[in-house]
Amino acid sequence: MAGTDATDPNGDRNLLAHALLPVANESDALATARALEPYDPERVTALHVVEKGDGVADKTPVEQSEDLAAESYAAVRTVFPDAEEHTAYSRDVVDAIVAAADEVGASAIAYRSRGGNRLMQFLSGDLSVQLVTDAPIPVVALPRAADEDEEEAEAVDGEAADADEGGDA
C-alpha cells in the first residue's frame, strides 16, 4: 500500500508527514503551495504529470512540458524551499498521481481544485472525483482563495452573457 507510516511520539499518524502536491503550471503551483503552507507539512514533493499521447501526438512537445514542470517546481520552492520534485509521464493523469504517491512514499495527496464550470468538469471526466475515489491514501482538498472563486464566477457569468447575446441573434 502507498504512503508513509509516519507517526508522532504518541503513536498518532501524521497526515501531512509527506504531502504529494500535483501541479499543472507555474501559477497553479504557486497557488497550490500557498494553500498548503498553513498546514505545515513535514515534507513536500511537487508532481507534474506530462500527458503522453499513447500512439497519437502529445498535447505539447516533451521539452516544453519539461520546461513547464521546472517552472512549476521553482514556484513550489518559493513556498517550500526543500520541496522535492517528481515528473510522471502518462496518458491518465489520475493513475500517474496515484502511482507517484506510491513511488515517493507520500502520506497524502494534497491538491487544489482547478475549478471550471460544470460542463468543463464533465468534459474533463472530473479528475477530482476520480482522484478522491481511486487513491489508496488520503486526498486533501485544499481551499481555493476567495479571489479565485470570484474570478471564476465572473468568467462563468461572462460566458453566460455571451451565450445569451449569441442566442438572440
Side-chain angles (χ1 to χ4, degrees):
M1 179 172 203
T4 302
D5 189 21
T7 56
D8 69 14
N10 297 325
D12 295 327
R13 293 186 72 175
N14 181 351
L15 183 65
L16 293 179
H18 184 182
L20 181 68
L21 200 66
V23 295
N25 55 47
E26 184 177 7
S27 63
D28 174 63
L30 184 58
T32 304
R34 285 179 176 160
L36 178 61
E37 185 178 26
Y39 303 99
D40 196 27
E42 292 177 18
R43 182 175 163 203
V44 173
T45 297
L47 168 68
H48 181 81
V49 178
V50 176
E51 292 185 71
K52 299 296 291 170
D54 261 359
V56 297
D58 294 336
K59 289 185 176 185
T60 57
V62 173
E63 299 79 21
Q64 182 180 348
S65 295
E66 289 173 343
D67 289 345
L68 185 63
E71 292 166 359
S72 299
Y73 299 144
V76 170
R77 285 195 184 101
T78 64
V79 179
F80 298 106
D82 296 327
E84 299 166 36
E85 61 185 57
H86 187 85
T87 304
Y89 300 84
S90 179
R91 180 177 175 89
D92 187 316
V93 174
V94 172
D95 284 349
I97 293 170
V98 171
D102 186 47
E103 290 169 20
V104 303
S107 59
I109 299 165
Y111 83 104
R112 190 179 60 87
S113 171
R114 303 308 188 270
N117 62 35
R118 290 182 190 192
L119 177 60
M120 290 304 297
Q121 291 174 356
F122 175 75
L123 293 175
S124 69
D126 200 357
L127 298 179
S128 296
V129 171
Q130 291 176 355
L131 183 60
V132 169
T133 57
D134 292 351
I137 61 173
V139 176
V140 178
L142 299 168
R144 292 171 52 87
D147 60 340
E148 290 176 307
D149 291 335
E150 290 172 14
E151 288 172 11
E152 184 176 309
E154 289 172 8
V156 170
D157 288 344
E159 290 170 11
D162 291 344
D164 288 344
E165 288 173 14
D168 292 336

